Amino acid sequence: MTDRTVTSKPRPVVAMDVARAAGVSQKTVSRVINGDAHVRTEVRDRVHQAIATLGYRPNRAARNLVLGRSRTIGVLSVGSTDFGPSSLMVAAEHAIRSARYTMSVVNTLEDEPESITSSLHDLVDQGVDGIVVNEPVGAFTLEPGAIGDLPVLSLSGRYGISTNEIAADADQASGGRQATEHLLGLGHRTVHHVSGPTGWRSSGLRTDGWRSALEAAGAPAPPVLTGDWSVRSGYEAGAHLAADPAVTAVFAGNDQMAIGVLRAFVEAGRDVPGDVSVVGFDDVPEAAYLARALTTVRQDLGHLATFGVGMLIDAIENPRRQDRREHVPVELVVRETTGAPPTGR
């Protein structure tokens, strides 16, 4: 007969074990776990020490039931691989997880308003505590307050789809003004503009900044050429502009289009910056390493997303506070693609 030794699994650590180790009641342990600000610092430290020593893992589902929250933030993604939207989403995800919230991502198509509306309602039905949305939701007319007072973080301005909306955005219009003023300050008579796609709020604001700088300087405003954020669309616009010898300065709505513009001018035999100056927007990692390092407008997308998510979580956890909106400054980075116009231009 063979002896068999049965080893039972160790009993999981429960809140009562933490209470005994810390010398407090189980109710006090619960208050510490749930972030009650009225627990004395010395008591809170003892409870946290006991949790760490025992390896206690709170029952998150039960905690959420008590708090009436899911600790889940919904993210509405348009599935864009463009530098700006994708960088914002990566930074937002990091900020959400760092705050110990989980994410529920719904992908949608940027040119289908019905899909966006349906996706927002899907997130609401999942019981998320708040929602992060980015471009180009603002292009569509959605029912005002469509999702009630659920906190919504807009990373590109205000959409009006919630009565409790938090707005965090880079100062897009200021960036357009700075780029245009820089070129005018170098002596260019006017500045041509290759904009992002119609319907994107950031594109419109950058164009507004370009136009306001021209108006303030009394400079003529050439017709806007519209791209789609891609290098290809910038190249096509650049080929059109390169055929006009009077063009000496171009502000492109993002760096990818600016790179396409540069390529078109080089192919046309127009020297940059000797014959024409080019400014982009975003400061993508490649901008500083082109054959001619690109002058551009830098927006700190990581800071923007982190700051915005922080405001969203504050709105979730402190619902009585109001007026959560912030413009994050942008910065003109002058490199090698801008200079004075050719003599006599």
Side-chain angles (χ1 to χ4, degrees), residues 114-177:
E114 297 82 4
S115 175
I116 292 174
T117 303
S118 174
S119 298
L120 285 169
H121 288 149
D122 285 346
L123 290 172
V124 173
D125 291 343
Q126 291 176 30
V128 298
D129 294 330
I131 296 176
V132 177
V133 292
N134 192 23
E135 300 271 21
V137 179
F140 306 120
T141 302
L142 300 176
E143 179 185 349
I147 54 177
D149 63 354
L150 187 71
V152 172
L153 168 63
S154 158
L155 287 173
S156 58
R158 301 188 70 81
Y159 298 135
I161 57 177
S162 171
T163 57
N164 186 13
E165 193 159 290
I166 300 98
D169 188 17
D171 197 342
Q172 311 286 348
S174 171
R177 282 195 303 273

Side-chain angles (χ1 to χ4, degrees), residues 6 17 57 97-98 123 132 164 207 232 323 327 334:
V6 178
D17 299 322
R57 296 178 64 86
R97 297 196 186 283
S98 295
L123 290 172
V132 177
N164 186 13
T207 298
R232 177 193 54 77
D323 194 27
H327 276 303
V334 179

Side-chain angles (χ1 to χ4, degrees), residues 74-87:
V75 176
L76 181 65
S77 172
V78 298
S80 174
T81 59
D82 291 324
F83 175 78
S86 61
S87 297

